[in-house]
Amino acid sequence: MRRNWFRRLLLSYVPVLILIVCLFVFIGVVQLNDLSRKEALKSSGVYVQNIQNSIDMSLNSIELMMLETITRNTNMTTFAGMQSDTNFFIELSRLLQSLTSTNPWIDSVYLYRAGDATVISDKTKLNADQFGDKPFIESHINNPELDNWSLPRPYRMLKDGNVEGTVISLSRSIPLQSKGIAIMVVNVKINSIQEFLSKYGISEVNQIALRDSQGQLIFEQKGKNPKVDDITIISNYTGWTYSSSLKKEELGNIFNYMKSGWFIVGFLGLLLAIGWIVYITRKNYKPIETIMSRIEKYNQVHREHPIQGPTVDELSYIDYTLSSIIEVSQEYQNQSLVNQKYRRIQLFQEIIDGSRQLVQEDWHNEMLDLGMKQLGSAAVSIVEIDKYTEFISGHSREDQGLFKYILKKVVEESAEASGLRIWQEWVTNHRLCIIFLEEQQEMPLEKMMLTLTEQVRQWMQNNLKLTVTFGLGCTVHEVQAIHRSYESAARALDYKSALGSNRVIGHWEIELLSHDDLYVYLQYVRTIAQAFRVGNDGWQEQLKLLFEGLRRLLLPKEEISGILSYMNYYFYREMMELPPEYQELWNREFRTPWDENMETLETLDELETFYLKTISSCAQQMEEIRVSKGNHGVVQKVKEYIEANFSDPDLSLSSLSEQFNMNSSSLSTIFKEDFGEKFVVYLCQIRMEHAKELLRTTPLPIQEISERVGYLHQMSFIRAFKKMIGTTPGDYRKVHQ
């Protein structure tokens, strides 16, 4: 590019330079002092701003580390839950020591639990009454809104010990958003902040001072008295005030410069230069005028968003315009890079959800990235990490991320080796969704997908000791139909509870399943609960039959959970009929273990083992309680007598009292205490169970069945059956025969 305009402009100002050089020498000396002061003041503002940012970032990093420890480390919630094991306290203390060692500013860290007033620090375990920082704990345990850094305060470990130093403190509730359960407190040494300011905040030009939110002095540089033009910055994070000022210096007397003869020569030269500048500027201004004209035309076209720059002069405006254009361009490029991954994930989610119409341009671009021109067929596979609760509790956050990365990499390399094109993204924390894509529709995509997923499953099991379960969806031929393949894969994966984990489940395995017999197996629930309450051993066999039926039905996880919740409710309702000691036993031996293990029990085999183990333990302990009362033998004889003579229409509490030589009122009380219900209700249940058996297995008339179970009148039997079972005998027979 030719630079004629540059040379012409340069040569035209040479005479002016020669004429005013003397004036510049004088003015330059005077202005240099003032300019230096302004630049020093400006740099002082930047200087103190950097100091403030550095301190805020250091304190904020400590707070973030504190929040991550509370939310990610399960030991914190365990501590708040009143865990008091000695080894657990030692592990907590080591955790706090590691937090202290990660940041040199941290003086100490401790945990406080309100339930038993226990304090765990990075050094020891104390009771709150022995702890020297108890006033701070009391002011924060019930005031979680005090979430900022405290004012500088003295800190001591022991109540009667010496002050160990001045600190600022930050407290957070455990768990977060809770109140009055437990808190975590981090103390930062004021000396560390002062040493930082002594190292980086002292210079020969600036004088730094730092005050807390109450105006108390934290740090100040000793030196000359500051000038009036101080720079003050208040931190939005800590509320501290940072101030900086220039140190005084003596200025020269301007009149000494005005006595020089060069000043007169320079003044005359200035007058001549003004005339020359006016002339030459008018001549050379035309290019600038052209640029300004183009900017004005741009603003007229873009009236809604014009370029609003400084109006001091055209060159500044041109410079501002160019800077704005460059800045916008850079921001756009950076934002484009940041959003690229997000847009890819968003597109992936839209494809598998089928929630809205897919933008074909986005899909076309993605196809090009995958090296494809068109879609022939596609299928979805979902891989789920088995026993994810144990996985996250048994591995650190870094190890979890490494395992997930390895899983994606193994899938990618296996697909590449098989000549398959895939697109995979994590849709949840424990589920990886894989879209298999092919250009040729006639290729056996499902067979290749089955082979690949089985290879990946075996590799993960053999090399990482990590088991995963795959759900394979159906093959589709349009991108808009991929969500149907995803739904079928997710449905196949829902049958992991019935079919087992650490395997590949194809959609074809569950499409022909029928659940018509589910109602029959639900009838076992009430019988199991009632038999368990009265101490009959038949409940174990009934429970095994229930789980065998659920295995044959091959139900998804949601339906299995619903059936088990239904059974848990019946057990709970039956136990509520018994005295409090039985209810307490049930809650301790079954409900609490169920709440703790329900998320980790993934298959029917695991669920059956859990139910048999816990309920058998309850039954054994309930039997021990009954035997310890001394009346158990009598009640057992009464129970056996009822089982043998339930068909007797005259069987009543009075006849039983005569049979066993007992007062009817005492017999009723003993019966109620052992079985949780009245004799009349128990007898009716026995009769209805036998009636249901006859209705299901025999063609006998209703009248004859009513007589066999102890009812002389058919209508009395029908009313009792409907009240107990919820339907008439005839309707019951239609459903179950």
Side-chain angles (χ1 to χ4, degrees), residues 81-144:
M82 301 301 293
Q83 173 62 266
S84 299
D85 183 65
T86 301
N87 293 330
F88 174 74
F89 285 153
I90 294 174
E91 184 180 356
L92 269 185
S93 183
R94 289 175 179 171
L95 173 62
L96 300 182
Q97 290 173 6
S98 66
L99 295 179
T100 305
S101 62
T102 56
N103 194 305
W105 283 22
I106 298 178
D107 176 67
S108 59
V109 184
Y110 66 84
L111 305 173
Y112 171 76
R113 183 169 62 197
D116 55 359
T118 297
V119 177
I120 302 296
S121 73
D122 54 334
K123 299 180 179 65
T124 184
K125 169 184 175 293
L126 297 171
N127 187 274
D129 293 332
Q130 302 170 335
F131 192 49
D133 210 28
K134 181 179 180 182
F136 180 83
I137 294 175
E138 292 175 345
S139 63
H140 282 70
I141 187 65
N142 292 319
N143 296 282

